[in-house]
Amino acid sequence: MNQIVLNIVIAFLWVLFQDEEHFKFTTFFSGYIIGLIVIYILHRFFSNDFYPRKIWVFIKFLGVYLYQLVTSSFSTINYILFKTEDMNPGLLSYETRLTNDWAITFLTILIIITPGSTVIRISKDSRKFFIHSIDVSEKDKESLLRSIKQYEDLILEVSR
């Protein structure tokens, strides 16, 4: 957060130091880019990583989530319309590496809002999820566990 504020301050200072009669977005943008360069040079003195990296991770996370949401929605629609007798609903468990309460809650929400799966219970030590899935055949089970692991990896990357 400190890096973002510092970058915006540098951009505004850049606008103020330019001898222009009006505020110009192009001047602010060039000051923002200069601020990014300055912060990149000095980022090792901050306690956090270089902040555009977190923005990239967020964009990547959003892309992965939207892809998983669309594919699982089509899969659920396919089961409902064409494979109602082929469904094999059941329970499966997933052991997580997440330790923060907010990260575990976020992963739970991501699993719940993905169509075809819902979290039934979380163990007392918050390490194991018990998940109900619309299909627990080997192919779909591996697909669901792979997408949950992908969510977990992205949450771990964001929380670093």
Side-chain angles (χ1 to χ4, degrees):
M1 185 70 178
N2 296 338
Q3 293 178 21
I4 295 172
V5 172
L6 180 61
N7 198 357
I8 292 172
V9 167
I10 290 171
F12 275 117
L13 287 175
W14 184 259
V15 169
L16 291 174
F17 289 146
Q18 300 298 318
D19 194 21
E20 298 173 344
E21 294 181 19
H22 304 292
F23 177 85
K24 293 184 180 175
F25 182 74
T26 55
T27 307
F28 179 80
F29 184 72
S30 63
Y32 193 82
I33 297 298
I34 290 170
L36 270 176
I37 294 168
V38 168
I39 290 173
Y40 179 74
I41 292 169
L42 299 175
H43 83 277
R44 65 177 176 212
F45 298 112
F46 292 105
S47 61
N48 299 335
D49 289 340
F50 187 48
Y51 82 90
R53 184 181 164 284
K54 292 226 183 215
I55 295 171
W56 170 247
V57 169
F58 176 75
I59 291 170
K60 186 169 67 168
F61 181 80
L62 187 62
V64 166
Y65 174 71
L66 290 175
Y67 172 76
Q68 292 291 340
L69 182 66
V70 168
T71 56
S72 63
S73 295
F74 282 124
S75 175
T76 304
I77 290 169
N78 186 28
Y79 276 113
I80 291 170
L81 294 178
F82 304 112
K83 297 182 179 181
T84 53
E85 49 287 322
D86 294 339
M87 281 196 291
N88 185 19
L91 296 174
L92 55 108
S93 64
Y94 181 78
E95 184 113 8
T96 184
R97 297 173 293 164
L98 300 174
T99 57
N100 296 341
D101 288 340
W102 71 267
I104 292 168
T105 303
F106 194 55
L107 182 62
T108 304
I109 291 170
L110 288 173
I111 294 169
I112 289 172
I113 63 176
T114 303
S117 62
T118 188
V119 175
I120 301 293
R121 184 172 177 84
I122 300 174
S123 65
K124 290 190 187 271
D125 62 353
S126 299
R127 304 297 275 172
K128 197 171 218 178
F129 292 98
F130 298 100
I131 303 165
H132 180 271
S133 177
I134 197 168
D135 192 0
V136 290
S137 64
E138 283 303 314
K139 177 185 165 199
D140 288 334
K141 179 180 174 181
E142 290 301 318
S143 174
L144 177 62
L145 292 176
R146 189 174 42 249
S147 66
I148 293 171
K149 180 162 177 28
Q150 197 172 25
Y151 291 150
E152 184 181 32
D153 291 340
L154 288 171
I155 291 171
L156 284 170
E157 194 174 348
V158 167
S159 64
R160 270 197 276 159

